[in-house]
Amino acid sequence: MRYKCSVLFVILFCFQQIVNAQHKKTLTISRTSHAPKIDGVLNDAVWEKAEKAVSFIEFKPNVGELETEANKTVVQMTYDDTALYVAAFLKDDPKLIMKQLASRDSFGNADFFGFVVNPNNDGQNDTEFFVFASGTQADAIANLSVGEDFSWNAVWDSAVKINEYGWSVEMKIPYRCLRFDTQNIEDWGIQFHRKFKRDESQYTWNPLDPNQGNIAQYHGNLKGMTDLKPPVRLSFYPFVSMVQNSYAGAHKTNFNAGMDVKYGVTENFTLDATLIPDFSQAGFDNVALNLGPFEQTFSEQRQFFTEGVDLFSKGGLFFSRRIGGEPTVDPVLSDNEKVTDYPTSTKVLNAIKISGRTKSGLGLGVFNSFTEIAHATIENVLTGDYREETVSPFTNYNILVADQQFNGNSSVGIINTNTLREGSFRDANVTALTANINNKRNTFNVKGEAKSSTLFEEEGNTTGYSSFFYLAKTHGKFRYSFDHSFADDKYDINDLGLIYRNNYNDFGVDANYRIFEPTKRWNNYYAYTYINYTRLANPSTFTGFDFGGNFSGTTKKLNSMGINLEIEPGKQYDYFEPRKAGSFFTIKNKIYTSFWHNTNDNKKVAFSANGGIQTLLDEDRDYVNYWFGFGPRVRFSDKFVMSYFYYRDHYIGDRGYVDQTETDVIFGERDRIESEHSFNANYNFNPNNILTLSVRNYWATVDYETALFNLQDDGSTIRTGFDNDDLGYNPDINFSTWNLDLSYSLQFAPGSFVTALYRNGLNNKDNKAKDSYFESIDTLFNQSINHVFSIKLQYFLDYNQIPALLKKKKHRIGAIS
């Protein structure tokens, strides 16, 4: 009898868990005629009667545990024709609340409350708003294509108060921040999040299961809104800026003025435009010495090209740094000519994007941008005459995309990118079909892409093809996947996209295991193993095979760590390092291992370290590469944080491309060292007032042996009969850079900023590879320093505020008269 009762209890328990997982909570809100004051004090009349969202459930690190009385959360909402209003009471011991100040969208060491809304309630497209106990804001759009995109920024209001019972939050979310159909407002998806930074625990109002599906599918329902008449969604961001540049005794000052515009074309679609854009205060790039066969690229720093581009990222065809980037055409030189000035960028004249998604899940996007013509200056060294040659013509970049979502977890789409250049320069067109399909139970996922590219050049058109297929088990502790990637040798998307190499036919299989409930020692851990098999597409030939695995996890004391191991057995064939069609370079039996470790970031002093080593089990090579990095992060107070990190990478017995003649590809054996010092300091006077310092120093040397090597037909290398002197130049390299950014930013009104930036930079490249670090630094600082000072004022203006502003101005004039 006892056994039967136990079985019955288990069955009922499991049934209850299934019911709980499928049940969605509902919050019904009422319209208010008196909007609450956003001050963090929950004493407004509307909060006395508003329905309460309670009984938050933990999902990290423990799953399914109900909040306690000591840390309970109560959330209320109301609305009017202007905005949604959210109030949250977050009970806690005020001595335990973490509230480090940080810049916007930086989570730092602070507890937070989050409000997530999905007006279409489609389980795929969220808008997220976070408020930290420090008062700092963060916001993001989230979907299956890009995950959480915190580069998206909206203008909304919030306030925080810490009291003897914990802390409270009030938020005002204007409808201009959301995209929705006013005819379908009776059932929105919402979720509330709360995180305790001290133990990394996180709770939600509607329970979610991290075991399967995406987080947006676990939202509750928001009901009660009727007759919503939101105002016109039109916002202006006019700006003025001054940039003063000083280099080698020359001074140049530029004054700029322009405007960004956001306009709700319809209730679901928004136009974003930047007119006469100014990117003078974009962050510096972390330039490094590039010895490889592929271009060096950097992440996007310009806000217009980072926010709201989720639709345009479909298929991986859009790399925004192409727009306004350095020209890729070399000028044609006659005898006795040399290039004296080559542009490092092209001017972006304007850019617009229109995007949105209907209630039925159809996403549409249009992107368009123009860049100005750019010239290189060429000198005739005999006559002293100068001439200009166009290296980047007037260019138009545009993208069209359509993406249909369905079943709350799947989508299919098509995207086309087009680059049109004036004159005889090449044009390009790329198209991709994409699919991301999950079964109804969210247990398996299939992704697929089919792409084609066409280049239009004077000598003829070239068309290439690429494809991708991925099948994965996406639920449970044990998961696995298979993938296949293909691109022929004519596939090229680099006019508006980014592909480091084409001509591949690669296969991969992987499996992983993870936990969702803490153990005695671990809060979480993840183990992963994989096998990769690679070939060229044309000719179809084997290039490599590797297998490996890694383990990472976080302990109960919140220390994180991981280890990796990879083995490439036998010969591996590199067809790209030789820079010559048909040639390849072989290595044998490569072994790689690494580790990383981060101490508990919640402590005043935290420490990070990593390191690794790789070598070849080859009797003909004496090669080893080792690297390490370490650095502290010190939180002096909730306002002041400093961090430093040092990284060093050393290659011994490395072999790589040096040059080539008409008949031979020349390789060299080299000793390579790279080191980097990074220092960052932030002082936040308050959530809207921040002083930031960033310093980076990078140094690299490449020291070749005297004797060089010829690359053989079988991929091996043999010593040549000549040395460095026979090249006619010294291939050794000593390369160093220095960058310093000191910025001050003040948000003096919602969405309105004054930002002052001082920047200096140095770089030097010579062949003194045997110089020490300090000798190289001395040489670097003997170069001319580029000093840049800029100040920028940006003002946010909502179209609906203009009548009130004009009315105030009229009253002032009347009072004076």
Side-chain angles (χ1 to χ4, degrees):
M1 182 67 180
R2 183 178 298 173
Y3 172 75
K4 291 182 179 179
C5 288
S6 298
V7 172
L8 180 60
F9 174 82
V10 171
I11 293 174
L12 291 174
F13 177 81
C14 293
F15 176 76
Q16 184 64 38
Q17 294 301 306
I18 294 172
V19 171
N20 288 341
Q22 293 176 342
H23 174 70
K24 288 181 177 290
K25 293 181 178 179
T26 297
L27 180 67
T28 302
I29 65 172
S30 302
R31 179 188 292 271
T32 182
S33 56
H34 299 284
K37 181 180 179 181
I38 306 303
D39 57 6
V41 180
L42 310 185
N43 58 0
D44 303 272
V46 67
W47 302 135
E48 295 178 2
K49 297 181 180 180
E51 186 175 318
K52 298 177 180 180
V54 295
S55 301
F56 277 53
I57 307 293
E58 186 177 359
F59 73 93
K60 187 189 297 183
N62 301 293
V63 180
E65 292 192 8
L66 185 66
E67 65 181 359
T68 65
E69 178 62 26
N71 68 351
K72 73 175 183 180
T73 306
V74 179
V75 184
Q76 298 169 282
M77 290 186 64
T78 187
Y79 76 102
D80 57 21
D81 280 334
T82 302
L84 288 172
Y85 302 90
V86 183
F89 166 67
L90 305 111
K91 190 173 182 181
D92 201 0
D93 182 345
K95 296 178 181 178
L96 299 178
I97 297 171
M98 299 194 69
K99 51 185 184 299
Q100 177 198 334
L101 286 161
S103 58
R104 183 187 176 102
D105 294 328
S106 298
F107 278 55
N109 293 87
D111 295 1
F112 71 69
F113 169 77
F115 168 56
V116 181
V117 59
N118 186 325
N120 289 336
N121 207 4
D122 56 18
Q124 298 195 65
N125 301 282
D126 289 346
T127 306
E128 303 177 343
F129 303 91
F130 298 92
V131 179
F132 298 86
S134 61
T136 303
Q137 293 182 347
D139 47 22
I141 54 173
N143 55 55
L144 297 180
S145 298
V146 298
E148 289 181 300
D149 179 11
F150 283 95
S151 64
W152 179 83
N153 287 312
V155 179
W156 48 286
D157 198 10
S158 65
V160 167
K161 285 291 183 183
I162 295 179
N163 54 52
E164 59 182 312
Y165 304 107
W167 59 295
S168 56
V169 178
E170 282 185 300
M171 306 166 68
K172 177 183 178 180
I173 312 296
Y175 296 122
R176 64 170 177 264
C177 304
L178 306 174
R179 300 179 183 184
F180 59 92
D181 182 355
T182 55
Q183 304 305 311
N184 296 280
I185 60 173
E186 67 279 358
D187 187 15
W188 285 14
I190 60 167
Q191 183 67 284
F192 305 114
H193 284 255
R194 182 182 182 183
K195 182 171 183 176
F196 297 84
K197 188 68 176 74
R198 58 182 176 266
D199 61 2
E200 301 293 338
S201 61
Q202 195 161 338
Y203 295 74
T204 57
W205 169 58
N206 199 69
L208 62 86
D209 181 6
N211 180 59
Q212 66 185 67
N214 72 79
I215 198 169
Q217 294 172 314
Y218 293 93
H219 292 351
N221 295 316
L222 179 68
K223 295 183 179 295
M225 289 193 297
T226 59
D227 301 323
L228 195 61
K229 299 177 182 178
V232 175
R233 292 193 297 125
L234 176 59
S235 303
F236 304 96
Y237 299 80
F239 65 85
V240 292
S241 67
M242 182 275 292
V243 181
Q244 187 175 61
N245 196 308
S246 175
Y247 180 72
H251 302 277
K252 184 178 181 181
T253 301
N254 292 321
F255 294 93
N256 303 302
M259 183 165 62
D260 294 347
V261 179
K262 291 182 182 291
Y263 173 60
V265 180
T266 67
E267 293 161 336
N268 279 323
F269 288 83
T270 300
L271 178 148
D272 292 271
T274 179
L275 310 174
I276 318 176
D278 173 32
F279 304 123
S280 60
Q281 294 187 338
F284 60 75
D285 294 322
N286 292 335
V287 177
L289 178 63
N290 181 20
L291 297 178
F294 310 119
E295 67 175 306
Q296 186 178 66
T297 59
F298 306 99
S299 61
E300 182 59 81
Q301 307 270 8
R302 302 166 296 180
Q303 183 175 329
F304 180 86
F305 294 109
T306 60
E307 66 173 25
V309 294
D310 53 311
L311 270 175
F312 305 108
S313 66
K314 294 284 183 178
L317 304 185
F318 179 40
F319 180 56
S320 58
R321 288 293 293 255
R322 298 291 182 210
I323 301 172
E326 183 176 352
T328 58
V329 175
D330 293 324
V332 179
L333 300 178
S334 303
D335 293 340
N336 304 316
E337 284 189 328
K338 68 175 184 179
V339 177
T340 59
D341 184 39
Y342 191 88
T344 57
S345 62
T346 53
K347 184 177 181 179
V348 180
L349 297 175
N350 56 60
I352 65 167
K353 51 181 184 275
I354 303 174
S355 61
R357 193 174 293 273
T358 67
K359 181 73 174 180
S360 62
L362 176 61
L364 299 172
V366 178
F367 175 93
N368 194 80
S369 182
F370 289 94
T371 58
E372 197 172 47
I373 190 171
H375 303 281
T377 303
I378 300 166
E379 179 188 9
N380 187 308
V381 296
L382 294 181
T383 65
D385 295 332
Y386 289 88
R387 67 181 180 88
E388 288 187 338
E389 183 172 323
T390 300
V391 290
S392 181
F394 181 73
T395 305
N396 173 239
Y397 302 91
N398 60 77
I399 306 173
L400 299 173
V401 58
D403 180 72
Q404 178 64 58
Q405 295 180 339
F406 55 94
N407 291 344
N409 61 6
S410 303
S411 66
V412 294
I414 182 171
I415 182 170
N416 175 264
T417 68
N418 198 50
T419 305
L420 296 173
R421 296 182 173 94
E422 189 177 46
S424 60
F425 290 80
R426 85 177 192 182
D427 300 327
N429 186 278
V430 183
T431 300
L433 300 174
T434 66
N436 184 358
I437 299 173
N438 295 274
N439 65 334
K440 188 174 182 179
R441 294 176 54 234
N442 289 298
T443 55
F444 287 91
N445 171 253
V446 176
K447 293 185 179 74
E449 296 177 351
K451 310 175 191 178
S452 69
S453 66
T454 302
L455 304 180
F456 303 92
E457 301 177 280
E458 284 189 324
E459 56 269 26
N461 301 341
T462 305
T463 300
Y465 300 95
S466 176
S467 64
F468 174 73
F469 175 78
Y470 173 84
L471 172 64
K473 175 180 179 285
T474 55
H475 76 290
K477 294 181 179 180
F478 176 71
R479 307 185 184 192
Y480 52 82
S481 69
F482 165 80
D483 63 86
H484 173 248
S485 303
F486 172 86
D488 65 21
D489 57 353
K490 296 180 176 60
Y491 181 69
D492 186 352
I493 64 172
N494 280 331
D495 291 84
L496 188 48
L498 174 64
I499 182 172
Y500 289 107
R501 53 158 293 194
N502 55 18
N503 196 12
Y504 54 80
N505 188 18
D506 300 342
F507 302 82
V509 178
D510 66 69
N512 62 78
Y513 181 84
R514 69 196 69 191
I515 64 170
F516 297 99
E517 294 281 358
T519 67
K520 183 177 180 180
R521 178 172 296 180
W522 298 94
N523 260 354
N524 60 73
Y525 65 75
Y526 176 88
Y528 173 78
T529 185
Y530 58 89
I531 299 174
N532 293 312
Y533 174 82
T534 61
R535 302 180 64 87
L536 287 185
N538 182 31
S540 179
T541 184
F542 170 81
T543 58
F545 173 78
D546 65 78
F547 62 90
N550 61 62
F551 173 89
S552 61
T554 302
T555 69
K556 301 288 284 187
K557 293 184 178 181
L558 303 183
N559 298 313
S560 300
M561 59 201 69
I563 56 173
N564 302 280
L565 174 67
E566 181 174 290
I567 299 174
E568 300 178 13
K571 286 187 176 182
Q572 314 292 313
Y573 301 84
D574 185 346
Y575 281 81
F576 296 91
E577 179 64 21
R579 278 83 150 173
K580 183 178 181 180
S583 297
F584 58 87
F585 174 57
T586 60
I587 61 172
K588 291 192 297 185
N589 301 322
K590 185 177 180 180
I591 298 178
Y592 160 99
T593 186
S594 66
F595 78 92
W596 59 271
H597 184 273
N598 297 325
T599 63
N600 185 348
D601 195 49
N602 291 335
K603 295 183 177 181
K604 292 284 187 180
V605 179
F607 194 82
S608 299
N610 62 57
I613 187 170
Q614 67 177 358
T615 189
L616 303 176
L617 301 181
D618 183 352
E619 63 276 7
D620 297 325
R621 294 283 304 276
D622 185 16
Y623 167 79
V624 65
N625 169 215
Y626 66 88
W627 61 95
F628 61 86
F630 61 88
R633 191 273 302 141
V634 182
R635 190 171 72 251
F636 295 95
S637 69
D638 284 337
K639 293 184 176 183
F640 184 32
V641 178
M642 291 176 56
S643 66
Y644 166 78
F645 198 82
Y646 173 72
Y647 178 79
R648 182 181 176 90
D649 197 352
H650 193 175
Y651 298 79
I652 301 171
D654 181 41
R655 289 185 188 177
Y657 176 88
V658 177
D659 209 335
Q660 60 182 290
T661 66
E662 293 183 359
T663 58
D664 296 313
V665 176
I666 302 171
F667 270 51
E669 187 160 292
R670 56 209 183 188
D671 187 89
R672 293 174 53 195
I673 296 175
E674 290 183 280
S675 75
E676 182 182 57
H677 300 265
S678 298
F679 174 81
N680 294 279
N682 296 319
Y683 189 90
N684 291 71
F685 301 91
N686 56 51
N688 301 317
N689 195 352
I690 181 172
L691 181 67
T692 301
L693 174 66
S694 298
V695 180
R696 176 180 181 262
N697 172 227
Y698 171 85
W699 172 63
T701 61
V702 183
D703 187 5
Y704 285 92
E705 288 189 356
T706 302
L708 299 173
F709 296 81
N710 274 344
L711 183 65
Q712 303 299 291
D713 291 340
D714 63 357
S716 64
T717 54
I718 63 171
R719 292 190 180 274
T720 64
F722 59 94
D723 55 26
N724 292 350
D725 294 335
D726 296 308
L727 284 175
Y729 64 91
N730 185 351
D732 291 350
I733 301 172
N734 186 323
F735 175 72
S736 56
T737 67
W738 165 275
N739 294 99
L740 181 148
D741 273 15
L742 177 63
S743 68
Y744 171 77
S745 179
L746 170 65
Q747 179 175 289
F748 60 89
S752 302
F753 297 86
V754 173
T755 305
L757 170 69
Y758 168 71
R759 169 178 294 163
N760 65 47
L762 287 164
N763 66 81
N764 181 64
K765 186 176 182 180
D766 56 39
N767 54 28
K768 299 176 181 179
K770 298 188 184 302
D771 280 3
S772 69
Y773 170 75
F774 292 103
E775 290 173 325
S776 302
I777 286 295
D778 186 60
T779 302
L780 175 67
F781 278 90
N782 281 324
Q783 311 302 309
S784 296
I785 300 179
N786 185 24
H787 298 275
V788 178
F789 175 75
S790 65
I791 186 166
K792 182 176 181 179
L793 169 65
Q794 175 182 288
Y795 188 77
F796 168 75
L797 181 61
D798 188 328
Y799 168 81
N800 302 284
Q801 298 172 338
I802 295 177
L805 293 174
L806 294 177
K807 186 176 181 180
K808 288 182 180 179
K809 183 177 181 181
K810 184 177 180 180
H811 284 170
R812 290 195 191 102
I813 294 174
I816 294 172
S817 61

